[in-house]
Amino acid sequence: MFHEIPLSRPHTPLLDQVPTPDKLRELPEDALPALASELREYLLWSTSQTGGHFGAGLGVVELTIALHYVYNTPSDRLVWDVGHQAYPHKILTGRKDAMLSIRHKDGLAAFPRREESEYDTFGVGHSSTSISAALGMARGAQLTGNNRKVVAVIGDGAMTAGMAFEALNDAAHQGTDMLVILNDNQMSISKAVGGLSNYFSRIWASKSYIAMREGGKRVLQSMPTAMNFARRSEESLKTLVTDSPGALFESIGFNYVGPIDGHNLEELVETIGNLREAKGPQLLHVFTTKGKGFAPAEADPIGYHAITKIAPVSERVAQVVVAPTAAPKKKYSDVFGDWLCDAAAKDLRLIAITPAMCEGSGMVRFAAEYPERYHDVAIAEQHAVTFAAGLACEGLKPVVAIYSTFLQRGYDQLIHDVTLQNLDVTFGIDRAGLVGEDGPTHAGAYDLAFMRCLPNLIIAAPSDENECRQLLETCWQHPGPAAVRYPRGTGPGSVIERQTQVLPIGRGVIRRQGERVAILNFGARLQDALSAAEQLSEQGVVNATVVDMRWVKPLDAALIRELAASHELLVTIEEHAIAGGAGSAVSEFLHQEGLRNAMLLLGIRDAYIEHGSPAEMLADCGLDAAGIAAAIRTRLR
């Protein structure tokens, strides 16, 4: 058990001998526990240098070793769900020395990625996709005559999503040879009940039991009554001795084994080795401890889910505490959380909903103060949206707190269950725009494009923290579907007015008056737009007007007409894909009005922007002050 971060790179002689899984498989089995200890210490050290997802990886060290030890990867396919737990996998698959580059520009990605390694069989970032992908791979192997094996590893949280159960149902229907490992970190699903459970789990995973089970099926195929009796008896026995969800998986059509200790390498290797040769869909339930091996992470698995850089203990002791010279800036998620509590105190109709993003969405305080009005529906974005629609049908005023990248998963429900019925649901859309080190899987680059085409929906894009608070109030007071999109992290540090007000819907504000060029800003890049305008003025290029548009839908039609009449060039700025975004909306409006102003649309180009720091990603897209000024200079030339 580690209590502190290693001061320097740990000594890992055994780990250094296994740069790839083929070398791992050459080790004697009794060397694996020592390898696990070295791998855990190296992971602890490397992640402390870079930051990143932490607890989940520590929890699957033994499972990762066992899987690569038993299966012939990369020929055999190993599919991780979400990818938070894939750091040990990266270390064991040829990327150990590159771990210090993870989440940095041009470095390793934070999640499995097909372009990065042949061992990353499927790119992930969103949850609950592993079983579907693995089933496709297993079926593909069958159709092409390949005898490779396929394994999907899915967490208990990801198993709450409907997509996971859709895949389980289809896998059972097809009878495909594959193994699903349910990695239960004891934060959601049932707990083990002791020695009897472990004893029977080892029996059910044994080669003799599997052979007897399959032989019995063949014998009883011609006797349906006896077959059904045997199946029900087996399911009842498993439920009785394990107190687990085994009966559920058995009823779907999987052979359920478990739960077993996910940190016992001998038991893992034996059980997985037996299941590797089993026919049909198999599900192995393993218990792991999130943050295993690092005492602070075991004690606070939520807090240590992901970390920033951790200074070694010697540096932490030496640090001098200096009184801050200014109040820290508020995160947009905290602005949302504070507004949510204040609005709930005034109106009993407010109900808050999140699909498993309580901490990230700033809802911890609300959950504590208004538990009866707080609903975490787990990783079920589709359900979250339609659940809100149902609440609205009963005269309540629900607020759905959801990341932009996850709202994509509830798009059908947004259309049919909310906007088509014109129901009073407010969406607080967090992580809109570029999200930094998590990269393109988590970028909120497409929400304007898929939302602004929907009738009845109004969309606000605040430029700072105070405007975010006021626009949240405005959209919530609006008697219909409404969305407020705001970025990850902090804003410019604007003073937040405690008193909320309802702002005019579809009205922008001129922040800097100039001529010739009008910069129409949508969202959080307003300060960069103002800085770019000052640069251009100081350089004698142009004295540009800067407008805080506030609303993507409805657009401020009167203001755009006024700007078009008095300026030669209209420049739109948004932290969103250019295709279909706010700039496109302005272009469409000008065309409909018969106005022929020159246009320059600045935003995210038609590409997935690779991970890096937020500043690096904005510069890459030309959305910082320097990039905006350069684009306008070039266009004017």
Side-chain angles (χ1 to χ4, degrees), residues 45 137 167 174 250 303 368 397 415 493 555 563 580 585:
W45 171 76
M137 294 175 189
Q174 296 190 40
E250 290 278 350
K397 289 182 67 66
I415 297 173
L555 289 171
L563 295 170

Side-chain angles (χ1 to χ4, degrees), residues 1 30 74 128 189-190 208 244 249 303 338-339 383 400 424 427 450 460 491 535 558 566:
M1 176 73 71
D30 59 10
S128 316
I189 297 180
S190 62
S208 58
S244 76
F249 298 113
D338 290 343
W339 168 80
H383 166 57
V400 179
D424 189 359
F427 293 87
F450 69 66
Q535 291 179 30
S566 56

Side-chain angles (χ1 to χ4, degrees), residues 583-603:
S584 294
V586 175
S587 294
E588 292 163 11
F589 174 79
L590 292 175
H591 179 74
Q592 290 171 352
E593 294 285 308
L595 301 173
R596 299 183 179 277
N597 294 73
M599 288 284 298
L600 173 60
L601 277 56
L602 301 181

Side-chain angles (χ1 to χ4, degrees), residues 43-127:
L43 175 64
L44 184 63
W45 171 76
S46 65
T47 312
S48 74
Q49 305 300 304
T50 62
H53 294 102
F54 188 68
L58 290 173
V60 296
V61 166
E62 289 82 7
L63 179 60
T64 306
I65 290 172
L67 287 168
H68 283 295
Y69 192 75
V70 171
Y71 285 90
N72 184 31
T73 56
S75 178
D76 288 340
R77 306 305 198 207
L78 176 57
V79 185
W80 296 95
D81 208 284
V82 184
H84 294 154
Q85 71 273 51
Y87 284 24
H89 163 79
K90 287 178 181 271
I91 293 170
L92 289 175
T93 54
R95 290 167 278 182
K96 174 169 64 67
D97 295 333
M99 287 299 291
L100 294 185
S101 75
I102 202 166
R103 294 164 54 87
H104 288 71
K105 185 174 175 59
D106 301 323
L108 294 181
F111 304 98
R113 185 174 180 185
R114 285 172 55 82
E115 297 86 349
E116 188 175 286
S117 170
E118 62 181 337
Y119 292 93
D120 291 359
T121 60
F122 196 73
V124 293
H126 290 184
S127 80

Side-chain angles (χ1 to χ4, degrees), residues 28 502 517 601:
V502 175
V517 174
L601 277 56

